[in-house]
Structure formats: C-alpha cells, structure tokens
Amino acid sequence: LIVDRHVAFMGGFNIHRESSMTVIGPSRWRDTHAEVTGPLVADAAWLFDTFWRGLRHSPPLRPNGTQFVSNETRKCRHHIRCLYLDVFNSARQRIFVTTPYFVPDLTTLRGLIAAARRGIDVRVLTPLISDVPITQWAARAIYSALMSAGVHIHQYVPRMLHAKTVVVDSNWATLGTANLDYRSFFVNYELVLLTTSPLMCEQLARHFVYDLSESRRLDTATFARRPW
C-alpha cells in the first residue's frame, strides 16, 4: 500500500474484516506489517506500477541495507526461494520462521534440516488453527522429519496466525507476503521487505520470542500419538 508516494506499508496484513479490531475484537488475526518512509517508498511505487503493467521484475538486489524483493527478477523466476536457501545454508546461530502456511519444497526442507543438524537453533512457528485446514495437514506430514533433525515446531494458540517473517542470525530478516510454501515460491507473485539492519532484525526476533510465549511446542512423543 503506497500513499501519495510518501509512505508505504508492507507485510501480511490484509484489508478484511478478520484483521479488524473493531469487527472481530481481540481474536482478530495476528499479523506483522511495517511502515516504510524515505527512498524505499519510490521503490515500492515502482514495483506497484511495474506489476500493474503485467511485469514481475524487481530492482537489482543490493548487498546490504533494507530493500523490497519480489519472487521474480530478470535473472531468477524463484528469487525469494533462492534467497532463503542461501541464507539457511550460511546461518550460524538461529533461524526463526513464522508462517501461516508451511508446505516447503523438498530442497527448502532439506536446508532447514541441514541447518538444525549443524547445531543452528531452527524454530518454525505456525498456527494451531488455520483458515485453510488442508495446508495444516500437509505441514504435519513433514513435522516428524523436522523434529527428528532437531527443528523446534511451535503452534500459536490464541488466534489465527497470518504473519510471514524469517529472521536469520542477527543481521538478516524478511517480512512480507511470502509463506514458506510451494505456492509462494513457484506460483504466486510475492513481495518481501528484506533487511540487514541489526535493529530491525532484533525487533522481529523479539516479536517471535513473544509469540512463542503464547504458543505450544510439539514434542516427538506426543506428536506420534496424534489421532488419524
């Protein structure tokens, strides 16, 4: 959302009743959104105008700073997936993933498993109750493989979780529209705000840790006893 080329808003927040405190109350969807000002607003407007004309290109990726990244560039048709694979493989301390729809492709799944086996603190936060139940069933099919490798799976309890963020170490994070799922990587047009700002990464990490306090962690023994 761009207003007068002065301010932009970016994240998972939809303009719908489920996100309204007035309509739904405290049980409204839990989401993460960012307000952006300065030169990045011009980039957001360019991306909007480009997509409006039916194109799916994003500006060249800068090595540092905060920037918008779409999942399709002139050089790569699955750009966001490639970014995640690279950063998962290079992670040194932690990988915090928040996603309402967790159905990664096999390569991304292996990247998370490999990171956990290297001793990286890998945590995935998904909703306990989803608005699309079939995606939960698909996600549960891979939970055992992840947990056996040391990945921590947490389920957010209070309400529908719709935030889409990834925090890696202390200097890499994204928030935006992309889930860690097949559709976001290979089908949909998605946009994320990527940052290497330690301040913003720490803020998103604090949000993640707070959400864990309202979540329950799955353990292998309990999960193995789940009903059909």
Side-chain angles (χ1 to χ4, degrees):
L1 171 63
I2 302 106
V3 182
D4 293 337
R5 294 183 181 263
H6 173 69
V7 62
F9 297 90
M10 177 64 191
F13 192 91
N14 296 315
I15 301 177
H16 70 346
R17 66 189 307 276
E18 287 80 2
S19 292
S20 170
M21 181 68 168
T22 301
V23 176
I24 303 297
S27 61
R28 73 196 186 284
W29 285 13
R30 158 74 179 90
D31 224 317
T32 298
H33 223 61
E35 178 182 353
V36 178
T37 57
L40 281 174
V41 180
D43 292 346
W46 182 86
L47 282 162
F48 184 94
D49 293 339
T50 300
F51 189 56
W52 186 267
R53 296 195 303 271
L55 303 175
R56 298 189 175 196
H57 301 320
S58 62
L61 188 66
R62 297 188 292 271
N64 292 297
T66 302
Q67 56 198 301
F68 289 105
V69 178
S70 79
N71 63 345
E72 189 164 328
T73 67
R74 289 181 175 88
K75 293 183 178 180
C76 180
R77 292 190 60 232
H78 315 301
H79 192 43
I80 293 175
R81 174 179 177 266
C82 294
L83 286 176
Y84 286 159
L85 287 175
D86 288 345
V87 76
F88 291 167
N89 290 334
S90 62
R92 296 184 177 182
Q93 298 170 325
R94 66 186 182 187
I95 299 173
F96 293 166
V97 175
T98 302
T99 181
Y101 315 116
F102 182 59
V103 192
D105 62 285
L106 184 59
T107 303
T108 304
L109 179 65
R110 287 172 174 168
L112 291 171
I113 289 174
R117 286 176 174 166
R118 293 199 313 271
I120 308 301
D121 182 11
V122 182
R123 298 178 185 269
V124 178
L125 178 62
T126 61
L128 176 64
I129 300 175
S130 175
D131 65 321
V132 187
I134 194 171
T135 61
Q136 277 194 314
W137 303 337
R140 289 170 185 158
I142 60 175
Y143 281 172
S144 294
L146 287 164
M147 288 189 291
S148 64
V151 176
H152 303 301
I153 305 294
H154 303 262
Q155 294 183 313
Y156 186 72
V157 175
R159 47 198 168 124
M160 170 60 190
L161 177 73
H162 195 250
K164 306 131 190 295
T165 65
V166 176
V167 181
V168 178
D169 297 339
S170 59
N171 59 353
W172 197 97
T174 62
L175 67 89
T177 69
N179 302 294
L180 243 74
D181 73 347
Y182 190 91
R183 290 194 61 85
S184 287
F185 287 161
F186 298 107
V187 180
N188 297 343
Y189 179 72
E190 307 283 4
L191 192 67
V192 299
L193 186 66
L194 185 158
T195 185
T196 57
S197 161
L199 182 63
M200 190 171 176
C201 292
E202 183 56 32
Q203 185 176 11
L204 289 171
R206 286 200 304 268
H207 288 175
F208 184 87
V209 172
Y210 180 80
D211 286 338
L212 292 188
S213 70
E214 298 188 306
S215 307
R216 69 183 189 189
R217 177 182 165 186
L218 291 180
D219 66 84
T220 305
T222 302
F223 188 68
R225 296 193 299 269
R226 68 193 183 280
W228 281 105

